[in-house]
């Protein structure tokens, strides 16, 4: 192969690989955008159905879920939750005749629990949300089943989060960041291919073509 022909071929390979990476990125962006639209539509549908009640808005902050009466049992799950300030806790009913009534809370928190206080209960499918801003410990109970041990605790502290035991933020998942693993492999393979092509071209230009190839420098 002549030197000029080889250089043209190497340039074409590198250009094709680069186009493949660009196409993969465009497809990934389209998928991510589509996923965000679907999530937004789901949230709008939930709000329209009116199944969620609450006394504060999440404001785009982190969220946690507490199941009320899971499987008909007289408990909150988890019974102990540690969160960071600004976290919205969504209480989801999985059995009937329950409510969420604050028993103690930090000064200035003003958490009122479910609407109607101790006298009103709710059934399966109901949801209630509250955003906890004030640091401290919140203790609450279900009025009809308090004597059965249906009580819970929420601890709000800086750096809190991650369920019952607290902890830091989870390690970022590249796929959640909008970059699937396949794109990483394609990018690395492209860079490797370009590097090999450049090194091979350098040695070919420096030391010349093989004496057995047609049109050699000899």
């Amino acid at each position: 192969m002549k030197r000029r022909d080889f250089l043209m071929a190497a340039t074409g390979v590198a250009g094709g690989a680069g186009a493949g990476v660009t196409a993969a990125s465009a497809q990934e962006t389209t998928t991510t955008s589509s996923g965000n639209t679907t999530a937004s539509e789901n949230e709008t549908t939930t709000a329209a159905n009116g199944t969620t009640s609450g006394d504060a808005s999440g404001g785009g902050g982190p969220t946690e879920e507490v199941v009320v009466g899971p499987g008909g049992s007289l408990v909150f799950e988890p019974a102990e939750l540690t969160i960071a300030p600004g976290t919205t806790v969504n209480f989801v009913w999985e059995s009937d005749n329950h409510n969420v009534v604050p028993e103690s809370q930090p000064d200035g928190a003003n958490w009122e629990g479910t609407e109607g206080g101790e006298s009103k209960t709710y059934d399966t499918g109901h949801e209630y949300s509250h955003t906890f801003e004030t640091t401290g410990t919140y203790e609450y109970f279900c009025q009809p089943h308090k004597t059965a041990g249906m009580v819970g605790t929420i601890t709000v502290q800086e750096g809190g989060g991650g369920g019952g035991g607290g902890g830091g933020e989870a390690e970022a998942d590249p796929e959640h960041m909008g970059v699937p693993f396949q794109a990483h492999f394609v990018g690395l393979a492209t860079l490797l291919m370009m590097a090999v092509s450049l090194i091979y071209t350098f040695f070919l230009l420096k030391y010349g073509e093989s004496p057995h190839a047609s049109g050699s420098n000899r």
Side-chain angles (χ1 to χ4, degrees):
M1 177 184 289
K2 293 184 179 181
R3 185 177 307 161
R4 183 178 62 184
D5 295 336
F6 171 77
L7 291 176
M8 293 178 63
T11 303
V13 170
V21 174
T22 302
S25 298
Q27 181 179 3
E28 174 191 342
T29 302
T30 301
T31 303
T32 302
S33 176
S34 173
N36 289 341
T37 301
T38 302
S40 226
E41 290 175 353
N42 289 340
E43 291 174 1
T44 303
T45 302
T46 302
N49 291 337
T51 57
T52 302
S53 65
D55 47 17
S57 172
T63 60
E64 294 286 351
E65 182 176 282
V66 173
V67 180
V68 181
S73 58
L74 304 181
V75 297
F76 293 102
E77 187 177 281
E80 297 181 357
L81 182 65
T82 301
I83 59 176
T87 300
T88 298
V89 178
N90 188 33
F91 296 85
V92 180
W93 272 244
E94 288 193 358
S95 56
D96 299 341
N97 195 32
H98 301 298
N99 56 17
V100 175
V101 181
E103 183 169 31
S104 65
Q105 57 185 300
D107 293 338
N110 298 321
W111 180 36
E112 297 180 356
T114 49
E115 184 178 356
E118 300 182 11
S119 61
K120 185 174 182 179
T121 60
Y122 298 88
D123 296 334
T124 304
H126 181 72
E127 294 185 13
Y128 160 74
S129 298
H130 178 77
T131 301
F132 294 83
E133 301 285 357
T134 305
T135 57
T137 300
Y138 299 73
E139 296 180 345
Y140 61 95
F141 60 90
C142 169
Q143 175 57 35
H145 307 113
K146 182 179 181 181
T147 56
M150 193 168 180
V151 298
T153 302
I154 296 175
T155 302
V156 181
Q157 63 183 29
E158 295 294 341
E169 297 182 356
E171 182 178 355
D173 186 345
E175 293 191 4
H176 292 169
M177 296 166 61
V179 182
F181 288 109
Q182 291 83 351
H184 290 291
F185 291 140
V186 170
L188 291 175
T190 301
L191 293 176
L192 181 60
M193 183 184 303
M194 293 175 64
V196 171
S197 299
L198 290 174
I199 293 173
Y200 184 77
T201 303
F202 170 77
F203 278 98
L204 185 64
L205 293 175
K206 182 175 179 64
Y207 298 107
E209 297 180 357
S210 169
H212 302 290
S214 60
S216 65
N217 292 334
R218 298 176 182 264

